[in-house]
Amino acid sequence: MSQADTRKSIFITGAASGMGLATAQLFASKGWFVGATDVNQAGLDAFAKDAGADNCFTSVLDVRDGDAYAQVLKDFAAQTGGTLDLLFNNAGIGAGGFFDEMNFDDVMAVVNINFVGVMRGIHLAYPLLRATPNSLCFTTSSSSATFGMPGIAVYSATKHAVKGLTEALSIEFARHGVRAADVLPGLIDTPILPEGTQDGAPSEGMFRLMPASSVADAVWAAYHTPDRLHWFVPEEIGELDKAAGNTPELVREQIKNTGPLAAVIKEMEERAAAAK
């Protein structure tokens, strides 16, 4: 008998901190068998200690390593009898700055982790999802997938790609009974945020600071809501998504001149000018 027994299972990348950890903790508390992976061994060990060794599978995993990813999924599947109820592609990194001033190796690291790593995980895990009734392929996109965000252009581009991939796969995978959806978080209190961001975050509005648990709640709700494609955290992000689709030029001017990123952009420009 597998370690998971008859329990539902979730496999999470980027599970050692932030949204991934909050999701791992929530699903473990709900009685699911949790596969938690990350590059952070200490964070995984702390989760395993809290969840209990019988309730989880943990492994260090860099999503850029295809061979390692395939082996980790094989080891996980051995504990679940070859099934997977929910794949949560959450691992991601951020790198900010003006695109033309970024080191291209940093650019490609964002692309390879945030998008190529997501595609790799979905492709490798799909046989497990297909073997499991009502399974869900769920991925972390971002509010920056509503409109390309200055200062994080490459990150934003990868999240647009994730959103588009999810929409296409939600149609393709339906032929095998597998669902696909994503979450588009706004400003979430996680280690990926630049230092000091929390202090300057607005207390209200769509870019107010939200706890990592709010994303975990969205993952839980997504599994139990078969027809919904995009999950916005907070819900107001959905209004930005609509506006960006209907009036992108207006949204561009608002972001540039009066939006929540205007002050950040101005500071970046002043810092760049001072460095010359």
Side-chain angles (χ1 to χ4, degrees):
M1 183 176 291
S2 65
Q3 184 175 332
D5 297 325
T6 59
R7 289 178 286 177
K8 291 185 181 299
S9 63
I10 181 173
F11 184 92
I12 307 170
T13 61
S17 63
M19 299 181 297
L21 177 59
T23 302
Q25 292 170 332
L26 175 62
F27 277 74
S29 74
K30 299 289 189 179
W32 283 48
F33 183 75
V34 178
T37 68
D38 202 292
V39 293
N40 180 353
Q41 179 72 69
L44 293 175
D45 290 344
F47 166 69
K49 181 178 179 181
D50 291 340
D54 293 338
N55 300 316
C56 64
F57 164 94
T58 63
S59 179
V60 170
L61 174 63
D62 185 331
V63 297
R64 293 172 293 185
D65 187 334
D67 291 340
Y69 208 145
Q71 185 60 55
V72 169
L73 274 172
K74 181 179 179 181
D75 294 342
F76 171 79
Q79 301 299 324
T80 67
T83 62
L84 173 60
D85 294 276
L86 204 166
L87 170 67
F88 183 28
N89 305 287
N90 174 67
I93 62 171
F98 292 120
F99 175 76
D100 57 292
E101 297 177 356
M102 290 181 67
N103 181 292
F104 201 71
D105 287 341
D106 293 337
V107 168
M108 290 310 300
V110 174
V111 172
N112 286 326
I113 293 174
N114 293 11
F115 186 52
V116 178
V118 166
M119 290 194 294
R120 175 176 287 115
I122 294 173
H123 203 265
L124 288 171
Y126 190 70
L128 303 179
L129 294 169
R130 184 175 174 178
T132 312
N134 195 40
S135 60
L136 172 63
C137 173
F138 198 72
T139 306
T140 297
S141 183
S142 168
S143 59
S144 69
T146 59
F147 188 91
M149 295 295 178
I152 52 169
V154 179
Y155 177 87
S156 182
T158 63
K159 296 304 183 178
H160 273 80
V162 163
K163 184 170 181 263
L165 179 68
T166 300
E167 290 168 351
L169 295 185
S170 72
I171 300 170
E172 288 189 14
F173 287 179
R175 75 192 195 281
H176 294 142
V178 178
R179 297 179 287 136
D182 59 17
V183 60
L184 288 82
L187 193 62
I188 308 296
D189 191 3
T190 71
I192 199 173
L193 288 180
E195 186 176 352
T197 302
Q198 293 90 334
D199 298 333
S203 58
E204 57 185 22
M206 69 176 69
F207 288 107
R208 65 187 181 273
L209 190 65
M210 301 285 289
S213 60
S214 62
V215 174
D217 291 338
V219 183
W220 179 259
Y223 180 78
H224 296 92
T225 310
D227 296 329
R228 186 165 174 181
L229 179 57
H230 300 305
W231 292 79
F232 300 99
V233 180
E235 288 289 345
E236 295 95 311
I237 297 294
E239 297 305 313
L240 176 59
D241 194 40
K242 293 176 184 177
N246 294 330
T247 56
E249 294 83 6
L250 178 60
V251 172
R252 178 187 62 194
E253 294 308 305
Q254 289 178 332
I255 291 175
K256 180 179 179 181
N257 299 317
T258 62
L261 291 177
V264 176
I265 298 166
K266 183 178 180 181
E267 181 181 346
M268 288 172 59
E269 290 173 341
E270 291 174 346
R271 191 162 54 239
K276 291 181 180 179

